[in-house]
Amino acid sequence: EVQLVESGGGLAQPGGSLRLSCAASGFTFSTYAMSWVRQAPGKGLEWVSGISDTGGSTSYADSVKGRFTISRDNSKNTLYLQMNILRAEDTAVYYCAKANYDILTAIDYWGQGTLVTVSS
Amino acid sequence: DIVMTQSPDSLAVSLGERATINCKSSQSVLYSSNNKNYLAWYQQKPGQPPKVLIYWASTRESGVPDRFSGSGSGTDFTLTISTLQAEDVAVYYCQQYYSTPITFGPGTKVEIK
């Protein structure tokens, strides 16, 4: 059974940093691209970033480019999102998401999400 | 960036009736080399993460009831729920994965009339 478990969310101050993690199990992690997708309270879905199976290719939404960094450790079956220079508009539930194959395929599994709140 | 729009914003349908949701992309998401539309549909129920229903515009995910179907090509797509059940109350999103940044539509809320 595929499981994606996010952690690392919480309260951060504007301008601060947080690092999200996603522990993956139930599939061969190193074979699939992964993404982070966020959802602000009461709003729709926004793709944040994606990373290829090897980690050699990454992509970002314009809203986070230069502030967020996606990475993965295939030896630990873990996906990360380093979030710097946080803004109030980054407040959202952040979902870890598994691609069906590479970044340009549908998302077939989602974690339960971790809430990030940016406020002073 | 490819902009996704959906219509209507919300709809109320009687149990057992048909629900139709439209999705339009600002540019074609049909990849000519493989003739595939890079378009998916997701269902999100309150307090839950999204769940994929349809990918490649018309391929139903394993385990998804056959009352859900997807159609369309190029820039215009439709998700149809043939006979609405109570458990189908949710927000439905279309998504293009033709190019990054991957983008979602704003969502369509489906309720029971």
Side-chain angles (χ1 to χ4, degrees):
Chain A
E1 178 195 5
V2 172
Q3 285 200 315
L4 301 170
V5 180
E6 303 94 339
S7 60
L11 178 64
Q13 293 201 333
S17 299
L18 278 178
R19 189 197 199 201
L20 305 185
S21 299
C22 171
S25 61
F27 65 102
T28 306
F29 181 71
S30 60
T31 305
Y32 296 91
M34 299 290 295
S35 286
W36 289 98
V37 178
R38 69 185 180 184
Q39 186 168 37
K43 302 297 184 183
L45 302 169
E46 180 187 17
W47 180 84
V48 172
S49 181
I51 187 167
S52 63
D53 54 351
T54 63
S57 176
T58 59
S59 185
Y60 298 90
D62 288 346
S63 58
V64 306
K65 201 172 294 182
R67 300 187 299 123
F68 290 12
T69 302
I70 191 171
S71 62
R72 64 191 298 162
D73 185 336
N74 285 346
S75 68
K76 295 182 179 179
N77 290 349
T78 302
L79 177 71
Y80 303 100
L81 185 67
Q82 178 67 45
M83 305 187 296
N84 298 331
I85 318 175
L86 284 163
R87 304 168 179 165
E89 54 264 37
D90 295 320
T91 294
V93 172
Y94 284 73
Y95 294 104
C96 169
K98 172 188 169 294
N100 193 37
Y101 178 56
D102 62 26
I103 290 177
L104 297 182
T105 55
I107 292 170
D108 56 5
Y109 289 95
W110 301 68
Q112 289 298 311
T114 187
L115 177 63
V116 171
T117 303
V118 182
S119 174
S120 55
Chain B
D1 299 3
I2 298 176
V3 177
M4 307 299 291
T5 56
Q6 289 181 232
S7 62
D9 295 335
S10 63
L11 75 162
V13 177
S14 300
L15 288 173
E17 296 300 304
R18 177 184 299 259
T20 302
I21 301 169
N22 300 301
C23 172
K24 182 181 283 285
S25 57
S26 61
Q27 63 188 75
S28 176
V29 298
L30 174 62
Y31 193 36
S32 55
S33 67
N34 60 11
N35 201 37
K36 287 187 173 183
N37 287 283
Y38 283 53
L39 189 286
W41 288 96
Y42 299 87
Q43 175 194 63
Q44 187 177 32
K45 297 180 180 180
Q48 296 184 19
K51 169 190 169 184
V52 66
L53 298 175
I54 303 285
Y55 55 95
W56 301 129
S58 60
T59 301
R60 197 180 304 114
E61 173 74 341
S62 175
V64 172
D66 61 7
R67 63 180 180 272
F68 292 93
S69 63
S71 63
S73 185
T75 61
D76 293 278
F77 301 90
T78 300
L79 175 69
T80 301
I81 309 172
S82 60
T83 51
L84 191 75
Q85 306 298 306
E87 60 265 31
D88 300 335
V89 168
V91 179
Y92 293 83
Y93 296 93
C94 62
Q95 174 216 37
Q96 68 79 19
Y97 47 92
Y98 180 88
S99 65
T100 57
I102 291 168
T103 48
F104 292 87
T108 295
K109 187 175 185 178
V110 174
E111 299 171 309
I112 304 296
K113 186 188 292 183

